[in-house]
Amino acid sequence: MAGGGDLQSPKKRKRDAAGKPKTLAKGGDDGKKRKRPSDANMAQGGGGGGEVKVKKEPVTAKEKRLAAKEMAESRKKKRKRNYSLEKELTVLWEKMRCHNVSSTERSKLVSEALRKMDGKYSEIAGSHVTARVLQTCVKLCSQSERDAIFEALQPDLLTLSLKKYAVFLVKKLIKRATKKQFEWFISSLHGRVAKLLRHTIGASVVDFAYQLATPPQKRRLLLELYSTELQLFTDLTGQKTHSLLETISNLGLQKSSVLQHMTTVIYPILEKGIIEYPIVHMAVLEYFTIADKTSATDVIRQFIPLLTQGSSAIDGDEPSVAPELQKKLKAKKKRLTEPLLVRIMNTREGLKIGVSCLKHGSAKDRKKIIKSLKGHIMKLALSDYGCILLVAILSIVDDTKLVTKIVIQELAKHLKQLIFDKNGRRPLLQLLHPNCSRYLPPADLACLNYRDEASESAAEDIPENKVLIQTLIENVGELLRTNFGKDVLHEVAVGGEDNILEGITDRIHSLHNAIASDAARPKTEDTEHAFDNYHSSRLIRRLILESPAFAAILWKKALEGKCKTWADGHSSKVVAAFLESPDSKVRDLAKAELQPLVDRGILKIPDHKAVEK
């Protein structure tokens, strides 16, 4: 009481006097102080009755990290039902993916992982982590184990086809399925194809199955998009060559009813923007064959805004990752920003869609398409189907100013690369010699399906004529001796189809001199001579037959007085071409020197003297 102090028990005052610290109860809000038990009491089992041990607060950075990790682990255990299993599977997954693991050990790891997942396949297939483990197991396991997984997931495959992570497992299963299992999956899609194609995730599964399917199976999937009536004719799946129009005609169906059904199927798919899949392309192309002009135009108007826009790239800064992964992320981001029209140029169906949009779209639509391709011209030019799309643009679109600005000028910057490339040369050859079957196979010409009124190439459309010829002159030796490079060289040297390069005759004359100068070089061991090389000898022969001006220059520069040297082997075809030429001046030029060689049997002339085309 003295000094106004608080009343305390003797025992309490003694503990205070001993200097024992007082602690507040954690989480309490009543302001009461609680005693911390002494070490002796703790050692004796917590003397004092109700006293408990209080967890020490983390102080150092390391302790804080550990505490945060423990808390995160605790939350995951509560949130994830199979968290412990997931951790066990992750460890096994990392081991089975190592390159230095033996096949026997890998099989044991896979079997152990499958044993842990047994009975829970459907439950864990939707998890980001365990779905990937299961995918790897499907890839590496034995056929009997794979059959067991397929059987366990069979009732849920279509449901899993709609889930973000499980969809990859479904694709893996159907890719490695037996014929019987795959047939069952195709049958399970009956009546659901259109619905799945309207789902952004499910559509990828349908198309994946479509690309793996046999022609009859593909037709079964497509028939569901055409008409409910056609689905009843199961024997139609064996008719691989019949188009939709022929099928309707053979069965006596009403085209209007099929068109109406297809409209109700296709429009929702287009509205969702799900148009990157070949099965959708095929359905739309068949729709065009039976649709009237108005209906086809309506579909084109829906297509073009989707084709000319890329997917929105991921916003925000890139995460701090390894250089290789960062490179992949940048490549993926770049691909997503490309117009969809560029991304569908990996199939012939995608090419046909692009060409159809160019043909059936309005002038405004074509302008929008071409503008969307800015910056992507070279990628198209070097791809198997993209180069044909550029050929179509150069042939169909009559907006010369726009085509020159977007397409021609971009091609002109990479002439050498294009000339030597199998695909890249085709847009150039289309300008020089339109619709030539020598350079465009029948399948590509069928895709283009040119109209009679297709626009003709003009000399001013060819990328920087003088620059092109200068590029050819600078690389003439290499161009002569390559399979693809020689084609552009030939077309320019003869002045193009219908002499479209007549305005730059002096430059073509310079090219003739460059070719003849290369042929006039003496034989060396370093480079095969132009007359002896398989490609160059045939090209020079064609030029002799088709260009009297070139033949005269070559004779004076490389052959006059030397024909006996070249009368054997590949070079003999070059020499003999002077006597086969349809131009009398060319024949007269060489006859005096060559006829004696023919009479003596040194130079052989083919029985036919027709001009090689």
Side-chain angles (χ1 to χ4, degrees):
M1 296 289 294
D6 293 335
L7 291 174
Q8 294 181 359
S9 67
K11 185 176 179 180
K12 183 71 175 178
R13 287 195 299 269
K14 186 176 179 181
R15 287 171 60 86
D16 290 343
K20 296 295 183 180
K22 302 176 182 179
T23 58
L24 291 175
K26 206 170 184 181
D29 58 357
D30 55 359
K32 293 182 179 180
K33 297 181 179 180
R34 297 188 179 179
K35 298 172 289 183
R36 180 173 181 177
S38 64
D39 294 339
N41 289 338
M42 290 294 297
Q44 295 174 4
E51 296 177 356
V52 294
K53 183 178 178 181
V54 179
K55 189 174 180 180
K56 184 181 178 182
E57 287 288 337
V59 178
T60 64
K62 183 178 180 180
E63 289 175 345
K64 290 180 179 179
R65 286 197 301 271
L66 292 173
K69 186 176 180 180
E70 288 178 7
M71 184 175 291
E73 291 282 319
S74 177
R75 289 174 177 172
K76 286 179 181 179
K77 287 179 181 178
K78 293 178 181 179
R79 187 174 71 251
K80 295 185 177 182
R81 182 178 178 182
N82 297 306
Y83 179 70
S84 298
L85 175 61
E86 185 177 298
K87 292 192 68 176
E88 293 174 12
L89 292 173
T90 302
V91 173
L92 293 172
W93 186 48
E94 293 296 339
K95 290 180 180 179
M96 71 177 70
R97 292 195 306 156
C98 291
H99 295 292
N100 57 354
V101 177
S102 65
S103 57
T104 304
E105 182 63 25
R106 181 175 284 114
S107 297
K108 290 180 180 178
L109 292 169
V110 170
S111 297
E112 184 180 353
L114 291 176
R115 180 179 57 78
K116 290 179 179 293
M117 290 185 283
D118 190 25
K120 299 181 180 180
Y121 293 137
S122 182
E123 183 181 343
I124 66 177
S127 168
H128 172 59
V129 176
T130 50
R132 298 179 71 183
V133 178
L134 194 49
Q135 286 176 60
T136 304
C137 290
V138 169
K139 177 182 177 181
L140 301 175
C141 69
S142 64
Q143 185 59 49
S144 59
E145 290 173 326
R146 193 176 296 119
D147 291 343
I149 297 171
F150 189 93
E151 185 178 353
L153 290 175
Q154 202 165 346
D156 304 307
L157 282 181
L158 291 183
T159 303
L160 294 175
S161 298
L162 305 177
K163 295 186 177 181
K164 181 178 181 181
Y165 301 118
V167 64
F168 300 105
L169 173 62
V170 175
K171 290 180 181 179
K172 186 74 71 176
L173 279 172
I174 62 177
K175 181 180 180 180
R176 296 180 177 271
T178 62
K179 288 184 178 180
K180 184 177 180 181
Q181 290 168 346
F182 187 75
E183 172 60 31
W184 175 89
F185 185 78
I186 294 294
S187 299
S188 70
L189 294 175
H190 181 69
R192 300 179 176 92
V193 174
K195 183 178 179 180
L196 285 169
L197 283 177
R198 294 195 295 269
H199 193 281
T200 53
I201 298 175
S204 65
V205 176
V206 176
D207 186 72
F208 190 78
Y210 175 79
Q211 295 188 56
L212 294 174
T214 61
Q217 289 171 335
K218 286 183 177 180
R219 190 156 179 80
R220 280 165 59 189
L221 296 175
L222 286 169
L223 286 176
E224 295 209 11
L225 305 178
Y226 296 162
S227 169
T228 51
E229 295 173 284
L230 291 176
Q231 295 177 37
L232 302 175
F233 296 92
T234 55
D235 58 319
L236 291 176
T237 58
Q239 302 176 13
K240 296 181 286 187
T241 58
H242 286 187
S243 66
L244 175 60
L245 192 60
E246 292 173 331
T247 301
I248 292 173
S249 176
N250 292 339
L251 296 176
L253 298 176
Q254 288 188 348
K255 188 166 68 172
S256 58
S257 65
V258 177
L259 183 64
Q260 184 178 3
H261 178 80
M262 290 190 72
T263 301
T264 61
V265 169
I266 289 174
Y267 270 70
I269 296 174
L270 297 183
E271 288 171 357
K272 289 280 189 75
I274 307 173
I275 62 170
E276 64 266 37
Y277 301 115
I279 187 173
V280 178
H281 301 163
M282 183 58 70
V284 172
L285 289 170
E286 292 283 22
Y287 180 85
F288 285 154
T289 63
I290 64 171
D292 54 84
K293 187 175 181 180
T294 303
S295 300
T297 302
D298 289 342
V299 172
I300 290 295
R301 285 176 180 171
Q302 280 194 285
F303 246 107
I304 290 175
L306 298 170
L307 290 175
T308 55
Q309 294 178 1
S311 300
S312 56
I314 301 171
D315 296 326
D317 297 331
E318 293 288 349
S320 178
V321 294
E324 291 184 4
L325 181 56
Q326 194 170 19
K327 188 176 181 181
K328 289 182 180 179
L329 288 172
K330 287 183 178 179
K332 183 178 181 181
K333 186 174 181 179
K334 182 179 179 181
R335 187 184 68 84
L336 289 174
T337 58
E338 293 174 347
L340 185 57
L341 181 59
V342 175
R343 286 187 277 139
I344 67 172
M345 285 300 120
N346 59 345
T347 65
R348 192 168 295 280
E349 290 80 9
L351 168 62
K352 290 178 180 178
I353 287 290
V355 174
S356 297
C357 289
L358 286 171
K359 284 192 171 186
H360 301 296
S362 63
K364 187 177 180 180
D365 293 331
R366 294 175 184 175
K367 187 174 183 179
K368 189 174 182 179
I369 290 173
I370 295 172
K371 281 187 173 182
S372 73
L373 299 179
K374 186 176 182 180
H376 306 287
I377 297 299
M378 278 302 294
K379 180 172 182 178
L380 290 172
L382 300 177
S383 67
D384 291 340
Y385 301 115
C387 65
I388 307 301
L389 180 68
L390 293 183
V391 168
I393 290 174
L394 296 173
S395 305
I396 296 171
V397 181
D398 54 5
D399 190 337
T400 307
K401 185 177 180 180
L402 181 63
V403 172
T404 301
K405 182 180 178 181
I406 303 294
V407 181
I408 302 295
Q409 289 183 4
E410 182 67 22
L411 296 177
K413 296 176 184 177
H414 307 277
L415 281 177
K416 184 176 180 180
Q417 183 181 3
L418 293 170
I419 292 168
F420 284 99
D421 188 79
K422 174 186 175 181
N423 298 316
R425 67 198 173 110
R426 288 178 175 173
L428 300 178
L429 291 168
Q430 177 65 15
L431 291 169
L432 293 163
H433 194 156
N435 314 339
C436 179
S437 58
R438 180 188 289 272
Y439 309 126
L440 293 174
D444 291 337
L445 287 172
C447 285
L448 294 169
N449 191 23
Y450 290 104
R451 302 173 181 175
D452 293 335
E453 66 269 19
S455 60
E456 297 181 355
S457 299
E460 60 268 20
D461 289 337
I462 299 174
E464 302 291 341
N465 291 324
K466 293 182 179 180
V467 176
L468 172 60
I469 295 180
Q470 186 60 34
T471 302
L472 297 177
I473 292 172
E474 291 173 358
N475 300 278
V476 68
E478 189 177 357
L479 287 167
L480 280 169
R481 294 165 176 81
T482 57
N483 186 25
F484 301 132
K486 65 179 174 42
D487 292 329
V488 177
L489 183 64
H490 167 265
E491 292 299 338
V492 174
V494 298
E497 179 73 356
D498 296 330
N499 202 25
I500 61 173
L501 297 177
E502 60 181 352
I504 52 171
T505 306
D506 56 332
R507 299 297 297 164
I508 294 177
H509 183 77
S510 299
L511 180 60
H512 290 170
N513 274 293
I515 297 172
S517 297
D518 186 272
R521 292 178 180 177
K523 286 187 176 183
T524 64
E525 295 182 357
D526 298 335
T527 306
E528 191 176 16
H529 196 276
F531 290 159
D532 290 330
N533 180 268
Y534 176 86
H535 297 298
S536 57
S537 61
R538 280 155 177 74
L539 171 61
I540 292 173
R541 180 176 185 274
R542 287 177 64 195
L543 291 177
I544 293 169
L545 295 172
E546 297 177 25
S547 175
F550 169 77
I553 294 174
L554 181 70
W555 177 260
K556 292 179 182 179
K557 275 185 173 285
L559 284 173
E560 190 174 17
K562 305 174 185 177
C563 290
K564 187 177 180 180
T565 306
W566 304 109
D568 189 29
H570 287 313
S571 57
S572 64
K573 295 180 174 61
V574 174
V575 177
F578 281 89
L579 296 179
E580 297 178 78
S581 173
D583 190 278
S584 58
K585 292 182 180 180
V586 174
R587 294 195 300 270
D588 294 341
L589 191 67
K591 190 172 183 178
E593 185 173 342
L594 296 183
Q595 192 59 50
L597 297 178
V598 175
D599 295 339
R600 291 159 55 188
I602 297 175
L603 178 65
K604 295 182 180 180
I605 304 296
D607 293 336
H608 61 283
K609 294 190 177 182
V611 179
E612 180 181 342
K613 291 294 183 182

